């Protein structure tokens, strides 16, 4: 019993560098880096779902608790018959909380991981038979657009999980500006933002005892090997993450355990022992710091909620 969804491909028609070009530029860059979006192949998306269940990884369950408590106020702000657009929908779990409590008749999930997106939106369509469900496989770091069949009325954008923290603050502002441009005045943006806190709590969340985060990070190398034919051996790298206080961000790296040389598309890539590929940043904000950033992008704050330990925040912003 497969529920029907309306499927859309990359929502922007512009031409962008390919994955090979981007990875090559990152590995030959100084310092070496790779965009965190490439962490999310099928396996990576599954590993991320496991991370969300970990004791150490507080953001997911904390955001859910905040959403549950704030739901009556969020419902009042979102109004009736809204269209919900979720960025980085992943397993589409949190959105169920909204679907159960808000007045929503159309849902669009946007995610970079195609099969994962199709599976999770199909499940959603089966569980909410009255809901019009759309899925768009798109890389929203390259700009945002809506499929033509989605009416840009009564829109509520949902960007949970503090994925905004995976952009640099400058890129976050650009992204929010483009969202502001896309959303008609009066639309809402419900966004989860992780907060600055005790370094020990932060570092534990990205260095879990079971090693799932390490596996999530190292899976990137398996993906580059499988999809791009890069001769790279995960045994020669190790996961490292730490809080960079000056930059207010968790950094995730893959450290080369040995000095090594790789060949990729005619380029020689040399690693010193201990040299890393920087694979992710996860910026942490104060409530006010994020409100200022959102204001610079044109959004007005209509509500902000946190948990009783001030671990995480959820903001309702008005376009
Ligand atoms: C998706 N994103 C918000 C997660 C984060 O916390 O920055 C990705 C993640 N990386 C390691 N653990 C989780």
């Amino acid at each position: 019993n497969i529920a029907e969804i309306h499927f859309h491909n990359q929502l922007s028609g512009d031409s962008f560098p390919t994955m090979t070009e981007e990875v090559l530029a990152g590995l030959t860059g100084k310092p070496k880096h790779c965009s965190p979006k490439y962490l999310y192949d099928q396996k990576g998306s599954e590993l991320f779902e496991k991370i969300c269940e970990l004791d150490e990884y507080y953001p997911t369950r904390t955001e859910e608790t905040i959403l549950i408590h704030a739901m009556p106020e969020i419902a009042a702000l979102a109004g009736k018959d809204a269209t919900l657009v979720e960025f980085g929908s992943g397993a589409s779990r949190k959105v169920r909380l909204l679907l159960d409590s808000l007045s929503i008749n159309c849902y669009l999930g946007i995610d970079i991981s195609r099969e994962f997106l199709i599976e999770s939106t199909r499940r959603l369509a089966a569980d909410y038979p009255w809901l019009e469900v759309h899925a768009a496989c798109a890389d929203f770091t390259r700009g945002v657009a809506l499929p033509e069949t989605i009416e840009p009325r009564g829109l509520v954008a949902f960007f949970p999980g503090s994925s905004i923290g995976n952009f640099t603050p400058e890129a976050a502002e650009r992204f929010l500006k483009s969202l502001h441009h896309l959303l008609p005045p009066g639309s809402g943006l419900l966004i989860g933002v992780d907060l600055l806190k005790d370094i020990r709590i932060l570092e534990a969340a990205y260095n879990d005892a079971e090693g799932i985060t390490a596996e999530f990070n190292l899976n990137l190398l398996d993906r580059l090997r499988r999809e791009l034919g890069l001769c790279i051996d995960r045994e020669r790298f190790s996961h490292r993450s730490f809080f960079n206080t000056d930059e207010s961000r968790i950094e995730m790296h893959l450290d080369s355990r040995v000095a090594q040389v790789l060949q990729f598309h005619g380029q020689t890539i040399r690693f010193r022992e201990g040299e890393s590929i920087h694979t992710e940043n996860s910026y942490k904000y104060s409530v006010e710091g994020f409100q200022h950033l959102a204001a610079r992008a044109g959004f007005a704050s209509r509500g902000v909620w946190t948990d009783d330990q001030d671990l995480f925040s959820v903001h309702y912003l008005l376009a």
Side-chain angles (χ1 to χ4, degrees), residues 137-151:
C137 181
D139 173 0
F140 55 74
T141 65
R142 296 178 160 184
V144 286
L146 291 178
E148 279 168 10
T149 45
I150 299 271
E151 269 218 46

Side-chain angles (χ1 to χ4, degrees), residues 39-40 48 51 57 59 160-166 194 205-206 213 216 239 250 252 280-284:
L39 294 164
Y40 300 91
F48 179 63
I51 289 176
Y57 196 74
S162 201
S163 295
I164 192 75
N166 298 133
D194 199 9
Y206 295 83
T213 309
F216 173 65
H239 161 80
I250 285 280
M252 200 161 76
E280 188 185 60
N281 289 317
S282 194
Y283 282 83
K284 311 299 170 187

Side-chain angles (χ1 to χ4, degrees), residues 111-126:
D111 202 278
I112 196 167
S113 190
R114 193 170 193 278
E115 299 311 316
F116 202 75
L117 169 75
I118 293 176
E119 265 172 46
S120 56
T121 41
R122 280 218 171 112
R123 260 183 272 125
L124 207 63

Side-chain angles (χ1 to χ4, degrees), residues 61-79 94 97-103 156 158 189-192 302-308 312-317:
R61 62 173 178 276
T62 311
E63 183 177 49
E64 283 178 6
T65 306
I66 297 171
L67 284 172
I68 290 167
H69 278 100
M71 206 54 84
E73 287 172 78
I74 296 171
L77 287 162
K94 289 170 198 158
L97 294 173
L98 303 185
L99 293 173
D100 292 339
S101 307
L102 310 188
S103 163
V156 177
F158 184 40
L189 167 61
L190 183 64
I191 183 165
R302 281 290 173 273
V304 53
W305 304 270
T306 60
D307 54 291
D308 51 16
F312 200 89
S313 64
V314 173
H315 299 244
Y316 195 98
L317 305 168

